Amino acid sequence: MMAWNMELTREVFTKRFVRGWLLASILLIALMPKPAWGQSDPEQPESTPKSIQTVAAARQADNLAIIDIKGPISGATSRSVTRRIARAEEAGANAIVLEIDTPGGEVGAMLEISQAIKKSPLRTTAWINDEAYSAGAVISLACDEIVVARNATMGDAAAIQIGVGGGGFGLQTLGETERAKLTAPVVADIVDSARRNEYDENLVLAFVLLGIETWMVEDTRNGDVYFVDEIEYRALYGTEPPRDRKPIAASGFGSQSSTSEQSTDQIDRPSPTELREDYSGASGIAEAESTASPYANQDINTKRPIFSSEDSANWKLTGYATDGKGLLTLKETELKSLGFVVPQTIDDEAGIAAFHGAKNVVRLRPSIGERYAAFMSSEIGWIIRGLLIVVFLLALFVEMVTPGTGLGGTVAAIAFVALISPALLVGAHAWIAIVLVLAGLILILLELFVLPGFGLPAAAGGLCLILGLIASFAGAGQLFPGAGNGGTGGLTTAIATVFVSMFASLVLIYFMSRYWEVTPIAKGLILSSPTGGPSDQQEEMLRVMDDVEADAPVTVGAIGIATGPLRPSGIAEFGGELIDVVSEDGFLEEGARVRVVNATKYRVAVVLDQDRGENV
C-alpha cells in the first residue's frame, strides 16, 4: 500500500512539474521582448506605437533610426552625423529621423551634413525639438519632411563670421566679397532643398538674406500657394504691391544671430527674381549651384510658374508674407501655416515612432571620441586648448631644466595628445601638426646641445612649433583652420589663441627660471639638508674626496709627455712613471707635452702645455 501511494505521488508530481514547466515556458515566451534591430539602447523608451493609426506608405518605416544633432555644429558634428547615417543604412533602417536642437554652427560642416542627407537612399525626417537656428534650419530643409515639437523655432540662417578682428572676439563685420563667398553656397543648397522638397524658393531665401520681401498668392484652380516678389507681383497684377498689411511671417522673431550690420531702413531689398540673374556679383543662382557649392543637384529644375497678367484672374492675393526687415525666423504655428512642417505636433519618441508606424526604434548616439571632439571645437573647448598649449610649453621647459627625470616630457606629451586629438578625431590633416611640432622641437634641441649660439636652428624650430600648434586647430578635412570654409575666422582665432598662449607661457617661464629653486617642482627634484647645513653624508663625501685627491699618482701642474696618441684617453710619462690620463683638449698626438689640471686617485686630467710647445 505504501509502495502504491509513493508511486501515485511520483506520477502526480511528474504531471504537475511538466504542466508547470509548460506554463512557465509559454509565459516566458509571451513576455520575452522581440529581437532588437541594430544597436541596442537600454535607455530608450518603449518604441512600439500603443495605438493603431494610419501611416502614409512613403513614411512607413518598420525600422527607424534616430540621430540627434544637438549643440553647436562643427566638423566633429558633421563627421559624427555622416558616420551614423551610414551606420543606419548598413543596419537595415527604413528611415532616419534627425532630432535637431542647435543654435547653428560652421558653414562647411552644415553643407557636409546636408550633402549626406541628400545622398542617403533612406527617407529622412527633421524633428525640430526644440530649436533649429542657422545651420539647423538649412539641415532641416534638406530632409524630406519636417516635424516640430511644441513651441519649436526655426530660421535665422544668415552666414556670419565669428573670430578675432578689429572689434575683438565675436561677430565680425564682413566685406561684400567675403559675405558673397560665405552666402553663395548656402543659397545654392537651400534653393536645391526647396526644389527637392517642394518649398517655395523665394520664401526659403528669407531665411538666409535680408531684404527678401514677398506676397502670398493662391492658385484658385488647384489651391497651390506661392510667394511672389515685387517683380513677379507687378508682372501678375500690373500694379505696385501693397505694404499696408502686417506681414504673415514675423521676420527676426527670436533671432539669435541676425544682428544686422546696417539699419533696417538702409537694407537693400534684393528681388529673388533678380537674384536668379545676378547674385552678389556672380552670374546667378544657377552658377552658384554649379561652382560655389558641390551640394546642389543640377538635375532638379524649378517648378515655379512664370507669372503674367494673362493669368491674373486665376491668382488670388492672400496676404503680405515677409517684409524683409529681418531674417525669417518662425515658431511652430507659423511653420505650419506656411507649409514648412506637417500639421502634427510631436513631443516625444513614442510620437515619432507612431508617426512612422515604426516597430523598432534605435537611437544612434555620438561616440565618446566624437563628443570629446565636438566639445573641444566649442568656444569653451578653444579656451581649454589654449591652456593646453601653456601646459605643453611649460612642461617642455621643465624637461629641459631637469633632464633625465622625464616628468616634464611626460606632461608635455599628454598635453600635446589632448591638443591634437580633436583634429585626429574629425579627420583633419593632423599629421601636418605632429610633423611640424616634432620638427620644431628637434631644431630647438639642436640649437641647445649641438650648435649653441648659431641661432638659425632655434628660429626655424620656433616657426615650425608655432605653425604646428596653429595646425592643431584644423577642422574636418582641413590643413589649417578656416581653409575651405569660405572664411578666415577659424584661422585668425587659432593664430590669436596660439600667440596669447605662447605669451602667457613665456611670462610664466621667466618667473619660473628666476625663482626656479623655490618652486614646488624644483624642491621635489633637488636634495636638501633638513637642517640647512651640510649633512653627515655630505661631510663624509667631502672627506672621501679629499682622501682620493691626496692619493693621486701625480700632482696638479706636473708636466709630462704623451707616449702615444690621446683619444682623449691614453698614457703619459711623468718623471719616468707611466700614468693613465684623459685629455680635456680632445685628441693629442704622440709626443705632445701635457700639463696636469686635475688629479685624483682614479682620474688624471691633462691639457696641452701651450707654454712649452706641442712636442718634445
Side-chain angles (χ1 to χ4, degrees):
M1 187 70 178
M2 179 66 67
W4 180 85
N5 288 337
M6 291 185 66
E7 189 70 22
L8 179 62
T9 303
R10 189 181 299 110
E11 182 181 354
V12 172
F13 175 80
T14 301
K15 290 182 179 180
R16 290 179 179 179
F17 175 82
V18 172
R19 186 186 306 161
W21 180 83
L22 289 174
L23 290 175
S25 300
I26 294 172
L27 182 61
L28 183 62
I29 293 173
L31 294 178
M32 184 179 298
K34 296 181 179 179
W37 159 81
Q39 295 180 343
S40 61
D41 184 1
E43 298 179 358
Q44 67 181 13
E46 179 68 31
S47 60
T48 304
K50 296 182 179 180
S51 60
I52 299 176
Q53 63 180 43
T54 303
V55 178
R59 191 181 295 150
Q60 171 66 42
D62 288 342
N63 298 329
L64 185 66
I66 299 179
I67 297 173
D68 58 87
I69 303 177
K70 297 185 178 182
I73 293 173
S74 64
T77 312
S78 66
R79 188 174 181 85
S80 173
V81 172
T82 303
R83 177 190 65 79
R84 286 182 281 165
I85 289 176
R87 176 73 181 92
E89 295 171 1
E90 295 170 358
N94 304 122
I96 296 174
V97 171
L98 289 99
E99 184 179 3
I100 299 174
D101 185 9
T102 175
E106 299 174 7
V107 172
M110 171 196 73
L111 294 175
E112 288 171 358
I113 295 174
S114 177
Q115 181 188 36
I117 292 170
K118 293 174 182 179
K119 283 185 175 181
S120 176
L122 303 180
R123 184 174 181 83
T124 55
T125 300
W127 176 24
I128 301 177
N129 184 26
D130 123 89
E131 297 176 345
Y133 284 110
S134 194
V138 177
I139 292 171
S140 299
L141 291 170
C143 296
D144 295 316
E145 62 182 346
I146 305 173
V147 296
V148 293
R150 203 172 309 278
N151 296 320
T153 309
M154 169 182 163
D156 189 3
I160 61 174
Q161 178 169 292
I162 296 177
V164 178
F169 183 83
L171 184 64
Q172 301 300 310
T173 301
L174 295 172
E176 183 177 348
T177 302
E178 291 174 309
R179 182 169 294 281
K181 188 176 181 180
L182 278 174
T183 305
V186 181
V187 169
D189 187 78
I190 206 170
V191 170
D192 175 69
S193 297
R195 292 177 181 177
R196 287 171 178 267
N197 303 318
E198 299 184 357
Y199 301 122
D200 188 273
E201 295 175 28
N202 283 357
L203 191 59
V204 296
L205 290 175
F207 286 121
V208 182
L209 302 171
L210 291 172
I212 301 297
E213 190 177 23
T214 62
W215 288 261
M216 187 163 65
V217 295
E218 180 182 349
D219 191 338
T220 57
R221 293 165 293 185
N222 53 25
D224 290 345
V225 174
Y226 289 91
F227 294 82
V228 298
D229 59 23
E230 187 172 356
I231 293 176
E232 291 174 323
Y233 188 95
R234 288 200 201 101
L236 185 59
Y237 294 111
T239 61
E240 288 294 318
R243 295 184 172 89
D244 55 349
R245 304 183 185 183
K246 181 180 178 181
I248 297 173
S251 297
F253 180 85
S255 175
Q256 291 192 353
S257 61
S258 61
T259 304
S260 177
E261 298 174 7
Q262 59 184 137
S263 169
T264 54
D265 296 333
Q266 300 174 338
I267 293 175
D268 293 332
R269 297 188 178 277
S271 166
T273 299
E274 294 174 332
L275 285 173
R276 294 187 178 91
E277 300 173 358
D278 181 15
Y279 174 67
S280 297
S283 58
I285 289 179
E287 180 175 333
E289 290 176 351
S290 60
T291 61
S293 173
Y295 310 104
N297 189 335
Q298 298 305 302
D299 297 332
I300 300 178
N301 298 317
T302 180
K303 297 180 181 179
R304 191 175 187 81
I306 298 175
F307 297 95
S308 67
S309 57
E310 298 176 357
D311 297 328
S312 59
N314 298 320
W315 292 95
K316 178 178 67 175
L317 177 64
T318 306
Y320 186 29
T322 59
D323 57 14
K325 292 183 179 179
L327 296 173
L328 190 62
T329 310
L330 307 174
K331 297 293 288 184
E332 175 195 0
T333 54
E334 295 167 322
L335 287 167
K336 291 178 179 178
S337 64
L338 294 178
F340 282 110
V341 303
V342 300
Q344 185 177 349
T345 299
I346 299 177
D347 291 320
D348 53 31
E349 190 172 306
I352 202 72
F355 180 74
H356 285 276
K359 298 177 181 178
N360 306 297
V361 178
V362 171
R363 278 190 176 272
L364 300 179
R365 293 183 169 87
S367 66
I368 295 176
E370 290 167 348
R371 293 178 187 178
Y372 171 74
F375 172 75
M376 294 297 281
S377 300
S378 64
E379 294 180 9
I380 298 177
W382 278 55
I383 295 174
I384 294 175
R385 289 161 97 171
L387 295 175
L388 286 173
I389 293 175
V390 174
V391 172
F392 173 69
L393 296 176
L394 287 179
L396 287 179
F397 169 76
V398 171
E399 180 64 24
M400 290 179 183
V401 298
T402 58
T405 62
L407 175 62
T410 302
V411 174
I414 293 173
F416 184 67
V417 169
L419 184 65
I420 200 68
S421 55
L424 290 171
L425 290 169
V426 300
H429 296 291
W431 62 270
I432 293 289
I434 296 173
V435 170
L436 286 172
V437 169
L438 291 178
L441 293 177
I442 292 172
L443 288 170
I444 292 173
L445 293 174
L446 184 67
E447 171 72 23
L448 292 175
F449 299 107
V450 181
L451 300 172
F454 195 65
L456 183 58
L463 180 60
C464 288
L465 187 61
I466 292 172
L467 292 177
L469 292 174
I470 293 173
S472 69
F473 286 80
Q478 296 178 332
L479 175 60
F480 286 102
N485 281 350
T488 58
L491 179 59
T492 55
T493 305
I495 292 173
T497 303
V498 170
F499 276 96
V500 169
S501 300
M502 292 189 72
F503 176 76
S505 301
L506 290 175
V507 172
L508 292 173
I509 287 173
Y510 168 77
F511 283 104
M512 286 183 68
S513 61
R514 188 177 180 88
Y515 306 104
W516 172 248
E517 294 182 357
V518 297
T519 60
I521 297 177
K523 288 182 177 180
L525 297 176
I526 299 176
L527 296 176
S528 61
S529 173
T531 61
S535 65
D536 294 340
Q537 291 85 352
Q538 290 173 333
E539 291 180 352
E540 179 65 18
M541 289 178 64
L542 292 173
R543 186 185 62 77
V544 170
M545 291 175 64
D546 291 338
D547 292 341
V548 169
E549 291 178 356
D551 294 337
V554 67
T555 60
V556 174
I559 302 298
I561 298 172
T563 60
L566 304 182
R567 300 192 179 96
S569 62
I571 299 175
E573 181 182 352
F574 294 89
E577 184 178 359
L578 300 178
I579 299 174
D580 290 327
V581 297
V582 176
S583 169
E584 293 191 351
D585 285 341
F587 177 81
L588 294 178
E589 295 180 354
E590 180 181 357
R593 189 182 297 273
V594 295
R595 177 168 47 87
V596 177
V597 293
N598 188 18
T600 68
K601 180 179 179 180
Y602 303 106
R603 184 177 185 272
V604 176
V606 298
V607 297
L608 183 66
D609 184 21
Q610 301 288 352
D611 297 335
R612 309 291 295 272
E614 294 185 1
N615 298 87
V616 176

